[in-house]
Amino acid sequence: MDYDFSNKVVLVTGASVGIGESTALLFAKLGAKLSLVGRNEANLRAVAAECEKQKGVKPLAIFADLGTDEGIHKTAKETLEHFKRLDVLVNNAAIGARTSILHETDMKIFDDVFRIDVRGVYLLTKLLVPALIEAKGNIINISSISATVVAVGSLPYGMAKAALDHFTRLVSLELAPKGVRVNSVSPGITVSNFVKRITGSTDEQYKSWLGEVSKQIPLGEPCVGDDIARMVVHIASEHSRLVTGTVVEVDGALRFNTASSSHLVSQQIKH
Ligand SMILES: NC(=O)c1ccc[n+]([C@@H]2O[C@H](COP(=O)([O-])OP(=O)(O)OC[C@H]3O[C@@H](n4cnc5c(N)ncnc54)[C@H](OP(=O)(O)O)[C@@H]3O)[C@@H](O)[C@H]2O)c1
């Protein structure tokens, strides 16, 4: 099977690092014109430069905070002004948290997670849907197996990803008659800075946690960004032309080992 995205415009949020970076690079290798969004300017510029090296197509780098309406409007406006169309929207940017209902925290974590992981996706999608309808394009929301795995410590992130998956289903039905597909790709443990950002753990501590968690993954290893990127590209491509409203897990079956993975998440709550 071949994948060709030349002449397709693909917007990837959270492209400055991690899964978003891998996704941007893979789309660049397949010839896509890219609109890349992040907050860390140095990282985003570096990813854009690496993408340009693949096929010589210069990406548009947008520095924006998707936790603000201003940043979201800027992202939609700059993308459409620059490319005049949009074929694929990858809603990847998100933040996580490790808290519980018994944990003494204020509502800031809840508000931040829902503002970026749910509200940000909702508004950006809303603004870009007319362009996606015009292009008969598609949307991929990057979710998490935390949406269904019940683990102490996953509040409120797991709730936010569950909301995102239902957003995928609801919008897929609404947009199907318009020829726009909408799907979630749901990673399990994926090597990136995500967990370190949430927990504040050192490289050493993260490595040791990754070693422990890997023992609970039925296929024996965590994902890397490319594993997720390859599924995103497959679902975004014509090879998936009748796939919509789905949530596709890429997790080595970790979601079936709920008791042990719950223990490894709850260990990370900061007290
Ligand atoms: N890693 C995992 O184990 C895992 C598992 C399941 C699901 N996921 C999901 O996979 C996606 C990517 O995660 P990752 O592991 O690649 O995490 P990461 O390394 O922490 O990267 C997160 C990306 O999101 C961007 N971002 C966060 N908040 C933003 C905001 N307010 N405005 C603009 N950009 C923002 C970051 O940009 P800056 O750095 O430029 O701020 C960064 O590019 C997320 O949706 C996450 O929930 C990850």
Side-chain angles (χ1 to χ4, degrees):
M1 273 196 297
D2 57 330
Y3 298 93
D4 182 9
F5 283 86
S6 42
N7 295 319
K8 300 279 186 203
V9 177
V10 179
L11 191 165
V12 183
T13 69
S16 51
V17 75
I19 291 170
E21 174 182 4
S22 302
T23 303
L25 269 168
L26 187 52
F27 274 115
K29 284 178 188 154
L30 300 170
K33 296 175 183 165
L34 287 165
S35 179
L36 306 178
V37 191
R39 294 173 298 188
N40 183 313
E41 294 203 15
N43 284 354
L44 194 65
R45 279 189 211 288
V47 173
E50 204 49 42
C51 287
E52 188 175 352
K53 277 190 209 157
Q54 307 306 315
K55 291 266 161 128
V57 185
K58 190 180 171 65
L60 172 68
I62 302 174
F63 308 107
D65 181 350
L66 296 168
T68 67
D69 284 8
E70 190 195 3
I72 295 164
H73 280 272
K74 177 182 176 193
T75 298
K77 187 168 178 280
E78 289 187 7
T79 300
L80 296 179
E81 277 179 6
H82 189 81
F83 292 111
K84 316 283 185 237
R85 65 178 284 141
L86 183 65
D87 296 278
V88 181
L89 168 61
V90 184
N91 284 311
N92 166 73
I95 60 163
R98 286 279 190 267
T99 60
S100 75
I101 204 78
L102 295 173
H103 192 202
E104 271 186 45
T105 45
D106 54 28
M107 291 303 286
K108 187 177 180 313
I109 295 178
F110 179 94
D111 290 340
D112 287 348
V113 168
F114 269 75
R115 204 179 58 253
I116 296 166
D117 299 6
V118 180
R119 192 178 188 284
V121 172
Y122 190 103
L123 178 57
L124 185 64
T125 304
K126 190 172 172 57
L127 294 174
L128 292 169
V129 150
L132 288 163
I133 291 173
E134 209 170 304
K136 300 252 181 286
N138 70 89
I139 301 167
I140 315 267
N141 296 318
I142 305 301
S143 183
S144 166
I145 60 163
S146 299
T148 53
V149 171
V150 182
V152 173
S154 274
L155 276 177
Y157 175 72
M159 291 169 68
K161 292 300 191 183
L164 182 67
D165 285 348
H166 211 46
F167 175 71
T168 291
R169 297 182 195 101
L170 291 165
V171 181
S172 74
L173 188 62
E174 197 175 335
L175 297 183
K178 310 276 184 199
V180 173
R181 299 184 297 109
V182 188
N183 293 286
S184 281
V185 170
S186 195
I189 303 293
T190 307
V191 180
S192 79
N193 288 330
F194 192 75
V195 167
K196 279 190 275 177
R197 284 201 217 219
I198 300 170
T199 58
S201 49
T202 61
D203 286 349
E204 197 78 346
Q205 288 165 328
Y206 178 62
K207 222 173 129 191
S208 140
W209 181 80
L210 209 53
E212 281 308 302
V213 89
S214 296
K215 292 182 202 155
Q216 310 304 326
I217 302 173
L219 280 181
E221 56 180 306
C223 302
V224 294
D226 238 15
D227 295 314
I228 313 304
R230 281 195 285 260
M231 184 57 77
V232 170
V233 159
H234 181 66
I235 292 180
S237 78
E238 272 304 299
H239 297 297
S240 302
R241 67 187 186 89
L242 294 180
V243 178
T244 196
T246 61
V247 176
V248 180
E249 289 98 350
V250 184
D251 70 336
L254 177 61
R255 68 194 179 284
F256 298 131
N257 262 350
T258 49
S260 35
S261 51
S262 174
H263 170 64
L264 287 156
V265 169
S266 60
Q267 269 180 1
Q268 291 183 320
I269 302 176
K270 276 187 233 156
H271 293 284

